[in-house]
Amino acid sequence: MKNNTNSESAAFGNPAEGKGSDSLASKYSPTEVEGKWYQYWLDNKLFSSQPDDRQPYTVVIPPPNVTGVLHMGHVLNETIQDILVRHARMEGKNACWVPGTDHASIATEAKVVNRLAEQGIKKADLSREEFLKHAWAWTEEHGGIILKQLRKLGCSCDWDRTAFTMDEVRSESVIKVFVDLYRKGLIYRGVRMVNWDPKALTALSDEEVIYKEEHTKLYYMKYYLAGEFTIKPEDEDGLNVIHKDARGYYAVVATTRPETIMGDVAMCINPNDPKNQWLKGKKVIVPVVGRIIPVIEDDYVDIEFGTGCLKVTPAHDVNDYMLGEKYNLEAIDIFNDDATLSERIAIAQQAALAENCVSNEYIIGLEKYVGIDRFVCRKQIAEDMTEAGLMEKIEDYDNKIGCSERTGVPIEPKLSMQWFLKMEHLANIALSPVMNDDIQFYPAKYKNTYRHWLENIKDWCISRQLWWGHRIPAWYLPAGGFVVAETEDEALQLAREQSGNAQLNLSDLRQDEDALDTWFSSWLWPISLFDGIRNPGNKELKYYYPTADLVTGPDIIFFWVARMIMAGYEYEGTMPFRHVYFTGIVRDKLGRKMSKSLGNSPDPLELIEKFGADGVRMGMMLSAPAGNDILFDESLCEQGRNFNNKIWNAFRLVKGWDINDDKQPESACLATQWFSAKLRLAAEELADDFSKYRLSEALMTVYKLFWDDFCSWYLEMVKPNYADGKAQPVDKATYEATLQFFEILLKMLHPFMPFITEELWQSIYDRKSGESIMRAELHMPSATDDDRRLCADFETVKEVVAAIRAVRSQKNIAPKEKLVLEKIGGQEEAFQCSIIKMANLSAINNVSEKSPASVSFLIGTTEYAVPLGNLIDLDAERKKLENELEHLQGFLASVEKKLSNERFVQNAPAAVVEMERKKQQDTLSKIAAIQETLSAFKG
RNA sequence: GUCGGCAUAGCUCAGCUGGUUAGAGUAUCACCUUGACAUGGUGGGGGUCCUUGGUUCGAGUCCAAGUGUCGACACCA
């Protein structure tokens, strides 16, 4: 009888390339299979989850940007999540993977601005409402593309739960939290030095600034001494460095930003700097500007840097700002918001000149710089100063420049009115759960990074001068002051109370124009996805929260992970997730980060087209230990595809078998016993790998289990013989055992390769409509000592077979030619029939002495021989044996050295000493056997 | 500058509380096509475990210093 399978599957109907006698193609073609089963999973709602009495397993997706497209980083991240989710589901847990997208305030707004610019529309010409209309249109057009792409990858997200950080639930949650934190006194508004992005025209948080190494110049400028002064005789002590030229005495200030001299309000020296003692108490003239400024003294100044003279520009440098606060200096903001020079520079110059009469030789009218860009100005002013004799010298200088993460332009430190969140309390509640492993990081090394950040945390600037995002729920009163409220109505009521003016109308109030930092919504994600902010303690939240695993990149540990932990403890009193799996960065095989500009990032959808989603997933996972960077190479996907093909062909083999009612042959019976033990051992290994989040090792475990143990050993052992020009039938017991093994293997493989495993699982047995491997539970009995013993014995069998094959290979004996094996002085071999089959022997003879013309080898302490008659090359055999003897004698020497060392025998554990003694005995008997053979050759 | 990680086969990495003369995958080489699969099979070669010291009966593993490399944070105007 022909075995009976459900043969409606798409991949079956394509016999085109098959060269076998059955209807299955010899190559697996994933394309149709993948589409078909994904639709099946959707149709049968197999991804969806509702609270029930099973144990929950929750994962929230790190929401990709709503307008983003799938890149290799996503493939890595989402594959890992899908593996974890599918694995948990098959463990019988109620797995829920919640998908969604992020509005990505600044990134999306930048894209919209660019698109509008292409159409000739300037953002500045639009009202807020008009702009938002465009932004929503863009979101609807591009939003969700990435979610569709995740389906191609096989992601088993509960799509009915798809959320967006700016949908109603999430928006209301953000506003509610803002109001709550404001009322707790944790949110405040004030003028501070912030990171200003002059291109996006918004403030940024410290985390959104990245430092880039750049080759710049260091400009040494002359600040001539002003007014009445004397150079005291003791200043001419040789320690002071006094500059003087035809115009007079001057100090030299080194700066990388000569244009900021327009905001100079003081010069600062270190009071302990011997070379600048002569400047104490003096006044100097700011070159070009003509303003006369005092020389102040502060320890902050580094004596070693430049000339030890620091120009103080409180409006444009964080440290200068602090000096300004300390010494009560004026801050002159010289820039417009877009970092062009402000007309204030000219006004300030006029005021300064009106106050003090300064010689024209130090001055250039600043009007010429008004309105030009900061970098153009830098170049210009440096040239002008050189020409005017105000520049001492210019040197090359390597500098690190803070740049905007999004727009890439250098950040301008700027004083401005912003909203801040106090972080001290939140950092306090978030630190210990990670340090004491309530929340576990994989790999744990990121605990350090985490602690360092929390211990040095600064307040979080949460306002952005953007429109795309959650608008800050603060309303300003006509007479000054503001109220913070969840709704306009509430705001009005509060405003009336606060102002004592009951006649106040909504139109009298003006809502803050700013939006909130994107991460101010992301940090609520694990809670807000279950509506836990608006609806605290609801059933879903109670069931799904805390979530199980978070999978994300270490680059957003501060942006996101740390802040989710803060919000989790602040709003739920417990962790948002129990484990954090940090992925590495996907690089190309040369180790370069994948980027659009380098063009070294493959398109994941093209890869899927080429290798199948299962192949790509496997390629990604093969080299992806947690936290290590992935050096991605297409050949890994090829390996994945090859593995798919191997699985496919193993299936083809089994499906092609005819079955009869014969008794199971002993070799098949033994093979079945062994493989069943092997499966239990492998299942334990797999569970261990998963428990440690060692997913690439888990994959390698199943890979080897399937390819080596199942295909190369088990199937080869049970495979019926070929006779009379065709394969013989297989007995029913073997066939059924094989199908059961196959099913277990498919389940083990499923989390990694969902599509092919579903395809085959559906085909090895008849399945009911709606059934799926996704929901098939995998429970393996734990391995016994007998299993371990059996598998260990079988390892010896493998060694014997390999040794015989090696003999064939060396002697050029065709695999088809049957050989005889002699076992010297041993007992009956338990796996005798397995060895006969796998090594293609005609017999195994137990003999007391081996045939004279034979090749012998040792497995353990047992000697085997293959009689070869005149094929034998005695010289070569002798040489080989002599080499082995030498090796064994060296080994023996090292063992005996240990054993003759009294301190070893005394100090080492008894078991270790015992082991060494056994090694000594074994080696001695091996040596004896070889010597005997060698002397037989001589005789 | 401060702190941290890493350094094992050509490549990517395992190697747990120290205990066989160090493993895997891949690449490479040789041989093998009527038979599930050449996207395959069989066999082989390939290592100063970065260097130097130390602890120990014993070090790839622990300690110290150095070198290289990657990262985080801090920054010098």
Side-chain angles (χ1 to χ4, degrees), chain A residues 605-811:
Chain A
L605 296 178
E606 282 173 21
L607 286 177
I608 289 173
E609 191 64 35
K610 198 165 163 193
F611 300 107
D614 288 335
V616 173
R617 287 166 67 114
M618 174 153 171
M620 209 63 192
M621 291 313 296
L622 272 174
S623 61
N628 279 26
D629 284 359
I630 284 83
L631 298 194
F632 181 81
D633 187 345
E634 265 198 31
S635 70
L636 292 168
C637 295
E638 207 176 308
Q639 196 184 343
R641 181 205 56 191
N642 293 355
F643 186 39
N644 276 286
N645 202 50
K646 186 73 181 177
I647 298 169
W648 174 249
N649 275 293
F651 174 77
R652 257 178 95 215
L653 171 70
V654 175
K655 183 176 160 29
W657 281 343
D658 288 335
I659 303 140
N660 65 17
D661 289 324
D662 287 359
K663 187 167 167 285
Q664 188 176 33
E666 197 196 351
S667 63
C669 178
L670 279 169
T672 306
Q673 283 169 15
W674 162 71
F675 193 72
S676 138
K678 183 75 197 177
L679 270 177
R680 287 189 286 274
L681 286 183
E684 284 193 350
E685 205 182 324
L686 204 55
D688 186 57
D689 288 338
F690 264 101
S691 75
K692 293 172 179 151
Y693 292 83
R694 300 168 70 145
L695 302 185
S696 55
E697 290 191 27
L699 175 57
M700 192 46 71
T701 300
V702 246
Y703 176 75
K704 288 193 282 191
L705 178 69
F706 193 95
W707 200 308
D708 299 340
D709 291 305
F710 185 64
C711 294
S712 297
W713 288 98
Y714 173 79
L715 285 181
E716 290 299 331
M717 284 192 286
V718 302
K719 196 161 130 179
N721 288 323
Y722 198 84
D724 304 330
K726 59 175 183 177
Q728 299 299 297
V730 73
D731 67 277
K732 205 170 173 187
T734 302
Y735 177 70
E736 279 170 1
T738 305
L739 285 193
Q740 280 169 26
F741 293 153
F742 214 123
E743 179 169 33
I744 291 167
L745 288 166
L746 289 174
K747 288 189 204 167
M748 287 175 165
L749 286 164
H750 177 73
F752 304 97
M753 303 194 295
F755 293 110
I756 190 172
T757 49
E758 180 77 278
E759 169 78 7
L760 300 184
W761 186 87
Q762 295 284 348
S763 309
I764 54 176
Y765 294 118
D766 280 329
R767 308 288 182 187
K768 292 194 200 88
S769 159
E771 272 190 315
S772 165
I773 190 174
M774 278 183 56
R775 302 278 176 139
E777 294 188 13
L778 175 57
H779 295 297
M780 293 288 288
S782 42
T784 62
D785 286 345
D786 283 343
D787 290 338
R788 274 173 242 284
R789 216 169 300 125
L790 186 59
C791 288
D793 289 349
F794 194 78
E795 288 308 303
T796 310
V797 171
K798 288 181 177 176
E799 284 181 58
V800 174
V801 172
I804 300 166
R805 287 172 176 169
V807 170
R808 276 185 198 280
S809 181
Q810 280 155 23
K811 303 292 171 200

Side-chain angles (χ1 to χ4, degrees), chain A residues 369-386:
Chain A
Y369 303 115
V370 172
I372 65 175
D373 178 77
R374 53 186 164 162
F375 298 114
V376 177
C377 177
R378 177 178 305 171
K379 216 176 148 204
Q380 187 62 53
I381 204 166
E383 279 172 21
D384 293 347
M385 287 175 80
T386 307

Side-chain angles (χ1 to χ4, degrees), chain A residues 432-732:
Chain A
S432 60
V434 170
M435 296 324 289
N436 65 25
D437 288 332
D438 289 345
I439 300 170
Q440 288 178 299
F441 281 8
Y442 294 87
K445 65 178 176 185
Y446 289 111
K447 282 165 76 175
N448 268 327
T449 313
Y450 182 83
R451 188 188 59 218
H452 185 261
W453 187 70
L454 285 185
E455 285 176 349
N456 296 284
I457 201 160
K458 290 184 210 142
D459 287 355
W460 176 11
C461 176
I462 53 174
S463 47
R464 296 289 177 273
Q465 286 64 56
L466 298 169
W467 283 339
W468 179 241
H470 305 98
R471 191 170 179 178
I472 289 178
W475 281 264
Y476 298 96
L477 277 55
F482 61 86
V483 294
V484 168
E486 287 182 34
T487 61
E488 287 184 331
D489 290 346
E490 192 193 355
L492 182 58
Q493 197 185 332
L494 284 172
R496 282 175 178 164
E497 284 167 22
Q498 189 170 315
S499 63
N501 177 0
Q503 307 308 309
L504 220 51
N505 278 316
L506 208 48
S507 57
D508 298 323
L509 300 181
R510 183 176 54 83
Q511 188 176 357
D512 197 300
E513 291 294 330
D514 290 353
L516 287 160
D517 183 2
T518 292
W519 301 101
F520 196 86
S521 59
S522 318
W523 75 327
L524 306 175
W525 193 239
I527 306 172
S528 65
L529 280 179
F530 303 107
D531 205 4
I533 297 291
R534 295 193 319 171
N535 193 358
N538 74 68
K539 183 179 157 200
E540 289 231 321
L541 185 79
K542 274 175 152 168
Y543 183 74
Y544 290 114
Y545 188 98
T547 69
D549 299 325
L550 176 78
V551 180
T552 192
D555 50 331
I556 54 174
I557 185 168
F558 308 136
F559 278 121
W560 196 43
V561 179
R563 288 170 182 159
M564 277 193 287
I565 295 172
M566 293 172 181
Y569 282 93
E570 181 70 12
Y571 286 100
E572 289 305 318
T574 186
M575 75 271 289
F577 28 73
R578 297 178 204 280
H579 312 103
V580 184
Y581 180 113
F582 288 107
T583 64
I585 297 165
V586 183
R587 299 175 180 277
D588 67 12
K589 62 179 167 182
L590 300 175
R592 300 173 305 179
K593 207 167 170 171
M594 285 189 172
S595 73
K596 267 187 201 160
S597 52
L598 272 175
N600 59 348
S601 178
D603 177 355
L605 296 178
E606 282 173 21
L607 286 177
I608 289 173
E609 191 64 35
K610 198 165 163 193
F611 300 107
D614 288 335
V616 173
R617 287 166 67 114
M618 174 153 171
M620 209 63 192
M621 291 313 296
L622 272 174
S623 61
N628 279 26
D629 284 359
I630 284 83
L631 298 194
F632 181 81
D633 187 345
E634 265 198 31
S635 70
L636 292 168
C637 295
E638 207 176 308
Q639 196 184 343
R641 181 205 56 191
N642 293 355
F643 186 39
N644 276 286
N645 202 50
K646 186 73 181 177
I647 298 169
W648 174 249
N649 275 293
F651 174 77
R652 257 178 95 215
L653 171 70
V654 175
K655 183 176 160 29
W657 281 343
D658 288 335
I659 303 140
N660 65 17
D661 289 324
D662 287 359
K663 187 167 167 285
Q664 188 176 33
E666 197 196 351
S667 63
C669 178
L670 279 169
T672 306
Q673 283 169 15
W674 162 71
F675 193 72
S676 138
K678 183 75 197 177
L679 270 177
R680 287 189 286 274
L681 286 183
E684 284 193 350
E685 205 182 324
L686 204 55
D688 186 57
D689 288 338
F690 264 101
S691 75
K692 293 172 179 151
Y693 292 83
R694 300 168 70 145
L695 302 185
S696 55
E697 290 191 27
L699 175 57
M700 192 46 71
T701 300
V702 246
Y703 176 75
K704 288 193 282 191
L705 178 69
F706 193 95
W707 200 308
D708 299 340
D709 291 305
F710 185 64
C711 294
S712 297
W713 288 98
Y714 173 79
L715 285 181
E716 290 299 331
M717 284 192 286
V718 302
K719 196 161 130 179
N721 288 323
Y722 198 84
D724 304 330
K726 59 175 183 177
Q728 299 299 297
V730 73
D731 67 277
K732 205 170 173 187

Side-chain angles (χ1 to χ4, degrees), chain A residues 126-281:
Chain A
L126 296 175
S127 70
R128 185 183 193 111
E129 284 65 34
E130 286 166 338
F131 179 82
L132 287 177
K133 222 180 258 177
H134 286 286
W136 276 108
W138 170 267
T139 299
E140 267 139 40
E141 189 182 326
H142 289 258
I145 286 181
I146 192 161
L147 298 182
K148 292 265 171 3
Q149 293 175 324
L150 292 183
R151 298 173 188 217
K152 291 266 180 233
L153 196 59
C155 295
S156 60
C157 304
D158 185 351
W159 297 109
D160 296 338
R161 295 177 178 273
T162 305
F164 177 47
T165 49
M166 264 173 67
D167 63 21
E168 192 184 331
V169 176
R170 265 49 65 175
S171 295
E172 286 183 11
S173 302
V174 167
I175 298 307
K176 196 166 175 201
V177 163
F178 183 96
V179 173
D180 177 67
L181 291 172
Y182 175 77
R183 288 183 185 156
K184 284 174 177 161
L186 292 174
I187 284 178
Y188 65 92
R189 182 173 183 259
V191 174
R192 297 287 184 283
M193 183 69 92
V194 297
N195 307 298
W196 183 261
D197 180 332
K199 188 171 179 199
L201 301 178
T202 178
L204 299 176
S205 67
D206 293 344
E207 288 68 36
E208 286 165 292
V209 180
I210 48 173
Y211 288 86
K212 287 185 195 159
E213 192 82 41
E214 282 195 24
H215 302 297
T216 59
K217 304 275 183 201
L218 193 57
Y219 301 86
Y220 290 79
M221 304 172 300
K222 296 177 173 179
Y223 283 57
Y224 285 92
L225 269 60
E228 298 285 310
F229 62 90
T230 49
I231 304 296
K232 286 177 254 162
E234 63 261 34
D235 289 335
E236 317 243 23
D237 56 2
L239 293 172
N240 275 295
V241 179
I242 301 172
H243 302 274
K244 191 179 179 213
D245 65 13
R247 286 180 192 164
Y249 289 92
Y250 62 93
V252 176
V253 172
T255 183
T256 53
R257 302 197 61 187
E259 72 279 13
T260 61
I261 59 173
M262 299 172 202
D264 280 2
V265 291
M267 189 174 102
C268 191
I269 58 169
N270 190 310
N272 305 313
D273 185 351
K275 63 183 181 294
N276 287 323
Q277 293 294 317
W278 67 289
L279 289 169
K280 284 189 176 177

Side-chain angles (χ1 to χ4, degrees), chain A residues 868-894:
Chain A
L868 290 177
N870 55 9
L871 269 175
I872 204 93
D873 175 346
L874 286 177
D875 275 346
E877 281 315 300
R878 189 181 303 122
K879 187 133 210 167
K880 202 181 78 191
L881 288 169
E882 277 164 358
N883 285 344
E884 200 177 347
L885 186 64
E886 198 181 328
H887 173 258
L888 285 170
Q889 279 166 338
F891 181 65
L892 182 67
S894 82

